[in-house]
Amino acid sequence: MSRYSVTKLAKLAGVSVRTLHLYDEIGLLKPSIRTEARYRLYGEQELLRLQQILFYKELDFSLQEICTILDDPDFDLVQALEGHKSSLEFRRNRLTQLLMTIDKTIVKLKDKQQMITDDELYAGFAKGQADAYRNEAIKKWGAQAVEQSEKTLRQMNKADFTQLKVESEEITQTLVSMLYMDPESESVQKQIARHYTIIRKFWGTVNKADKQAEAYSGLGKLYVTDERYTVINGKPNPEFALFLSKAMSYFAKTQLKE
């Protein structure tokens, strides 16, 4: 079985020796063997754990959070790798979208393009679908709320609107990666705060005094009852819908009190 010294492992993983020493000190990554001369040696299990640490760091988890996740007796390595793959694919797509946003911004500045059109507002829906979606939204939230949202979004330039959609997709993927965490935990609630702000931007109410606790909590319940709102990678994800609804409800009760 191959064993790696701390120097070789640092070079292999692209981290510093000092980083590996720190991981050892805080219990995040212990060597499998410590020789009589106190040299650290790492085996296959440590390499796999280090891979997970680096993946979670890429997703902006703290070292303490990573340690909690990896030491969870229910942690599933294959499931985690599948989640990382999905997140990395999303980041790849996000970079592509950001490059498109830059191109559109350049065009806007050169050609002085103005507000987004109705077609762009409901991009991705067929004409009949867009009308049905709008009418359904009016029934759920009222004409005034829908018109306020549309008015705010129309006043955005194309680059800002595209960026808002990218941010919305990014926070969704981040929350998907946290699916098996406690929805009331500090880590999840920090991401829910970002989700809440993005939703308020779509609603056109981000600068309003009303915190819309009931509306936000109600949206979480809608995620559970209508699978269209939490389709992930083209498929409904009821487990994620329930997780997100619980996290949103807790955020509304604890952070949006009047």
Side-chain angles (χ1 to χ4, degrees):
M1 181 182 294
S2 298
R3 298 288 180 187
Y4 294 85
S5 68
V6 68
T7 302
K8 287 184 178 180
L9 181 58
K11 184 176 181 181
L12 178 67
V15 299
S16 68
V17 170
R18 184 177 179 181
T19 293
L20 294 180
H21 286 173
L22 171 64
Y23 291 174
D24 184 6
E25 289 170 11
I26 66 175
L28 182 58
L29 182 68
K30 291 284 188 182
S32 59
I33 296 174
R34 195 180 290 272
T35 67
E36 292 182 4
R38 306 301 295 165
Y39 289 121
R40 297 172 174 88
L41 294 178
Y42 299 84
E44 181 181 358
Q45 291 303 312
E46 289 72 45
L47 265 67
L48 289 172
R49 185 175 174 96
L50 179 57
Q51 183 189 55
Q52 291 302 307
I53 292 169
L54 297 178
F55 276 135
Y56 280 112
K57 279 196 67 181
E58 185 68 22
L59 295 172
D60 297 325
F61 284 76
S62 70
L63 295 182
Q64 183 179 359
E65 290 169 339
I66 296 171
C67 192
T68 300
I69 293 169
L70 297 184
D71 289 342
D72 188 326
D74 294 327
F75 177 76
D76 187 307
L77 179 58
V78 173
Q79 189 176 73
L81 287 170
E82 289 174 345
H84 296 323
K85 179 183 177 183
S86 176
S87 296
L88 289 172
E89 287 175 342
F90 172 77
R91 289 199 172 198
R92 177 193 63 197
N93 296 336
R94 178 174 177 270
L95 288 173
T96 299
Q97 290 175 319
L98 287 175
L99 288 170
M100 291 172 60
T101 298
I102 290 172
D103 288 339
K104 290 180 180 179
T105 304
I106 292 171
V107 171
K108 174 186 176 295
L109 294 173
K110 287 182 176 180
D111 298 342
K112 299 188 183 302
Q113 294 177 346
Q114 297 300 316
M115 310 308 175
I116 62 172
T117 65
D118 286 349
D119 288 340
E120 289 168 322
L121 191 64
Y122 290 99
F125 293 95
K127 177 60 178 173
Q129 272 187 317
D131 291 340
Y133 179 82
R134 186 177 188 277
N135 290 334
E136 188 175 338
I138 290 174
K139 289 180 181 178
K140 283 187 173 77
W141 295 296
Q144 183 177 353
V146 172
E147 289 168 3
Q148 171 66 38
S149 173
E150 290 176 337
K151 179 181 178 182
T152 300
L153 295 174
R154 285 195 191 97
Q155 290 174 342
M156 289 184 176
N157 60 51
K158 294 181 181 180
D160 288 344
F161 181 63
T162 300
Q163 180 61 29
L164 179 58
K165 292 196 293 183
V166 169
E167 289 175 1
S168 176
E169 292 169 0
E170 180 184 25
I171 188 59
T172 296
Q173 289 297 327
T174 299
L175 287 165
V176 167
S177 73
M178 305 173 86
L179 177 57
Y180 297 102
M181 296 177 66
D182 181 355
E184 297 182 7
S185 68
E186 182 180 352
S187 300
V188 173
Q189 288 296 300
K190 182 167 67 175
Q191 299 304 322
I192 288 294
R194 290 179 57 208
H195 179 266
Y196 168 72
T197 299
I198 290 170
I199 291 297
R200 293 258 286 176
K201 287 180 180 179
F202 275 112
W203 285 348
T205 58
V206 71
N207 294 317
K208 303 290 185 180
D210 181 5
K211 295 181 180 179
Q212 297 181 287
E214 185 176 344
Y216 186 65
S217 180
L219 179 62
K221 294 175 183 176
L222 181 61
Y223 288 158
V224 176
T225 59
D226 192 332
E227 63 183 21
R228 292 174 301 173
Y229 288 88
T230 47
V231 171
I232 307 298
N233 296 326
K235 297 180 181 179
N237 191 325
E239 190 174 13
F240 175 61
L242 183 60
F243 163 80
L244 188 56
S245 180
K246 288 180 179 179
M248 291 169 67
S249 176
Y250 184 76
F251 182 83
K253 286 188 294 185
T254 59
Q255 301 300 319
L256 305 182
K257 294 180 179 179
E258 296 295 341

